[in-house]
Amino acid sequence: METKFDILVIGGGPGGYVAAIRGAQLGFKIALVEKRDTLGGTCLNVGCIPSKALLDSSEAYHLIQHKAEVHGIKVGDVSVDISKMMARKEAVVSATTKGIDYLIKKNKITRFQGIGTFLSSTSLRVTDKAGNTTELTADRIIIATGSIPTPFPLLPTDGKRIITSNEALSLTEIPSRLTIIGGGVIGLELGSVYARLGTAVSIVEYLPAIVPGMDKELTSQLQKSLEKLGIRFYLGTKVTGGGYSNDTTVYVDMEPSKGGKSEKLESDLILVAIGRQPYFDGLGLERVGITPGPDKRLPVNDHFQTTVPSICAIGDIIKGPMIAHKASEEAVACIELIAGQKPHLNYQTIPFVIYTWPEAAAVGATEEQLKQDNRSYKTGKFPFKASGRARAAEESEGFVKVLADADTDEVLGIHILGPRAADMIGEAVLGMEYKASSEDIARLTHAHPTYSEALKEAALAVGSGAIHL
Ligand code: FAD
Ligand code: NAI
């Protein structure tokens, strides 16, 4: 068996498998080491794909129950078969991870199943499930070992009643009451899934707003939409403890973050979703002298090299948002830099999406950031309720907001809350990447009737005025 390669990649997630494929495309001899049986990492196995499968299934149920009638569609009794819903999600995950297997074979990448542990700056030991070991060497090693849920010391998870997103994606029964600690993106997405299926969902968030990094105007309207769905928010509230009331009930003790009266909240399940942390277990970083920084991530230079030049790091384990498309873009850039090319990755134009309904999507600066930077800016807004396409679809919640420089008109940020915002944000990314002015977007012909006309109208509203408002 071949054990000498040009590049070894540790981790088969959207960082690692993309690095392997791009590396093979550029003619490198690549080995991909993954400890899971399946490729795709967190994203395909217990992240992006299963969560979106459940979001789509639960949205279909919600639509039939609550939106069919307005379209003149009469439905009888509707109910959920949770095991079938979960089986469909598993099938989607399986088809997607098998798709990656196919791509790995097609690109003639050698795959090793097992835990990769550094022996030196150019060699690795892979230990498979049976304990068999293989030693691999390469000129370059890329670490893409991803992340795991951050534990909450006050409330250790048990995998059954106090759980992380891993288990929340595979429940066998719909809980009657679910408490979620953390009003971030996992809290809102998985909270939406179960709220649509009939669960009484409560979200406890330490800070005064949900998804703290996003534009406040957008998140406060998103919160109202989710409240209509039945989700109850306890903002500015800290969990001070919790545990088991009895065989079927768990509880959290909580109080205002600034201090105050304590309250007990009981439910069937508690989902801890307070962030994710980089994962290095078993990697043996100490053996090569690499130390994570104070933020627990690996420091890298602009060529993704760690403090050991032959070892690069990408994805959730380095600075920046822990999102799949960022990991994949870093993978491509890292490999192309190794190949001596001059790739371009603009961190300012990485979009961020929350797959609730309405969806929330953003790229660039928020109003809060611009104010903090004392930047003078103009704002253009267009609500979906003024969009013909949205009215036709009975999807009029939300708006598009375009922020542009007050002097140059360069677009600085675009924030969308609305139907298919996730798909619409691509145009905003393209515009910002090419330093579009709001007038550039306003002058583009958008197909009628589409949701994306709302972006054109918001861009028009920055300048001479929206037509349909
Ligand atoms: P990972 O995907 O975590 O992959 C790392 C891999 O390395 C793992 O498979 C692990 O088994 C393996 N590994 C670790 N150590 C070793 C070792 N020593 N030897 C061998 N293998 C090892 N992002 C989005 O952009 N959009 C979304 O919609 C989205 N939804 C999400 C939903 C949930 C519930 C979660 C939890 C995350 C979601 N994310 C989403 C985030 C996304 O999953 C991550 O940002 C992405 O997977 C990071 O990719 P990565 O390659 O850095 O790491
Ligand atoms: P997050 O960082 O998005 O949100 C965690 C929230 O928990 C924050 O609002 C934080 O203020 C709050 N919090 C922290 N400690 C707390 C405490 N003790 N009590 C109450 N609240 C507390 O993390 P989340 O939701 O766990 O997601 C993890 C990662 O997964 C994110 O970084 C995200 O990028 C990624 N992800 C991305 C998705 C997407 O792109 N659509 C979907 C799901 C996850």
Side-chain angles (χ1 to χ4, degrees):
M1 192 207 308
E2 188 63 72
T3 56
K4 168 125 190 54
F5 296 89
D6 297 325
I7 303 173
L8 292 176
V9 182
I10 316 171
Y17 84 73
V18 171
I21 292 174
R22 189 72 188 123
Q25 285 174 339
L26 294 187
F28 291 111
K29 206 165 114 189
I30 309 273
L32 178 61
V33 181
E34 168 56 57
K35 69 187 176 72
R36 276 195 171 92
D37 292 336
T38 50
L39 293 175
T42 303
C43 181
L44 272 59
N45 291 284
V46 287
C48 328
I49 297 300
S51 61
K52 266 78 257 179
L54 293 180
L55 277 156
D56 282 341
S57 295
S58 58
E59 178 58 21
Y61 176 61
H62 189 257
L63 194 120
I64 293 165
Q65 271 193 320
H66 300 284
K67 295 188 185 162
E69 200 171 335
V70 71
H71 286 276
I73 302 166
K74 287 204 163 131
V75 284
D77 278 349
V78 190
S79 59
V80 174
D81 181 341
I82 189 74
S83 33
K84 200 162 179 185
M85 197 177 276
M86 290 294 172
R88 186 194 84 91
K89 176 222 57 174
E90 281 304 316
V92 170
V93 167
S94 170
T96 314
T97 58
K98 285 197 180 108
I100 307 299
D101 288 349
Y102 162 78
L103 294 174
I104 295 301
K105 284 194 194 110
K106 181 183 149 201
N107 284 284
K108 301 191 173 34
I109 295 159
T110 311
R111 179 179 161 190
F112 292 88
Q113 193 279 320
I115 296 177
T117 308
F118 280 107
L119 294 174
S120 74
S121 58
T122 52
S123 65
L124 205 67
R125 183 178 59 229
V126 181
T127 311
D128 72 13
K129 278 189 182 149
N132 304 311
T133 59
T134 314
E135 284 185 20
L136 307 176
T137 58
D139 301 331
R140 299 288 198 129
I141 301 179
I142 298 176
I143 316 174
T145 50
S147 62
I148 53 166
T150 304
F152 185 37
L154 296 178
L155 208 53
T157 53
D158 62 13
K160 292 194 165 62
R161 295 163 67 195
I162 304 174
I163 60 175
T164 68
S165 56
N166 292 343
E167 296 82 32
L169 290 167
S170 295
L171 297 184
T172 50
E173 280 175 37
I174 301 168
S176 311
R177 295 169 300 168
L178 170 66
T179 300
I180 303 178
I181 306 178
V185 61
I186 290 183
L188 301 190
E189 290 189 359
L190 293 182
S192 294
V193 166
Y194 288 103
R196 291 168 189 164
L197 298 181
T199 303
V201 174
S202 302
I203 296 184
V204 187
E205 165 60 47
Y206 185 83
L207 294 172
I210 56 170
V211 219
M214 285 190 98
D215 191 273
K216 291 279 169 296
E217 188 180 10
L218 182 148
T219 54
S220 75
Q221 195 156 332
L222 173 60
Q223 184 183 333
K224 286 189 189 119
S225 296
L226 296 176
E227 279 167 346
K228 273 196 251 161
L229 188 64
I231 298 181
R232 181 145 187 214
F233 289 93
Y234 296 87
L235 302 183
T237 302
K238 69 178 172 201
V239 172
T240 52
Y244 306 86
S245 303
N246 55 44
D247 286 352
T248 54
T249 308
V250 283
Y251 71 94
V252 296
D253 288 320
M254 54 187 194
E255 61 182 46
S257 301
K258 293 178 183 153
K261 201 165 160 279
S262 180
E263 204 181 323
K264 185 175 191 165
L265 181 63
E266 292 198 313
S267 57
D268 307 346
L269 282 179
I270 298 169
L271 164 59
V272 178
I274 57 168
R276 292 177 63 84
Q277 64 184 35
Y279 180 78
F280 303 118
D281 286 7
L283 194 56
L285 280 178
E286 59 292 345
R287 199 166 294 174
V288 281
I290 297 176
T291 316
D295 59 353
K296 298 188 179 168
R297 315 247 193 146
L298 294 190
V300 290
N301 65 15
D302 57 8
H303 278 49
F304 301 98
Q305 287 167 303
T306 63
T307 45
V308 177
S310 61
I311 302 175
C312 292
I314 56 170
D316 282 6
I317 57 170
I318 66 167
K319 64 181 183 319
M322 289 184 169
I323 44 181
H325 41 284
K326 177 253 190 194
S328 299
E329 293 306 329
E330 287 177 341
V332 170
C334 178
I335 289 287
E336 291 179 354
L337 285 164
I338 291 173
Q341 298 183 1
K342 293 191 172 65
H344 165 81
L345 172 52
N346 182 357
Y347 282 90
Q348 305 310 315
T349 56
I350 295 177
F352 187 74
V353 175
I354 311 177
Y355 295 84
T356 45
W357 197 265
E359 290 176 337
V363 59
T366 62
E367 284 209 68
E368 291 73 32
Q369 285 163 346
L370 294 176
K371 281 180 189 142
Q372 204 181 338
D373 296 349
N374 283 326
R375 186 103 189 230
S376 37
Y377 64 94
K378 303 177 283 182
T379 307
K381 254 179 83 177
F382 190 80
F384 280 102
K385 64 175 182 292
S387 146
R389 183 71 191 87
R391 212 174 298 116
E394 294 287 340
E395 293 293 356
S396 54
E397 275 181 85
F399 60 85
V400 178
K401 178 161 79 172
V402 175
L403 306 172
D405 187 278
D407 301 321
T408 65
D409 194 34
E410 182 183 341
V411 174
L412 303 174
I414 296 186
H415 306 273
I416 309 175
L417 180 73
R420 301 283 163 230
D423 297 299
M424 287 171 60
I425 202 70
E427 181 186 347
V429 172
L430 184 69
M432 284 191 63
E433 189 61 43
Y434 286 93
K435 301 210 171 293
S437 62
S438 74
E439 187 182 345
D440 288 331
I441 297 178
R443 287 193 183 279
L444 291 177
T445 310
H446 286 68
H448 177 72
T450 54
Y451 296 128
S452 69
E453 286 170 300
L455 175 54
K456 175 189 169 84
E457 292 273 11
L460 273 167
V462 175
S464 50
I467 301 288
H468 294 92
L469 204 58

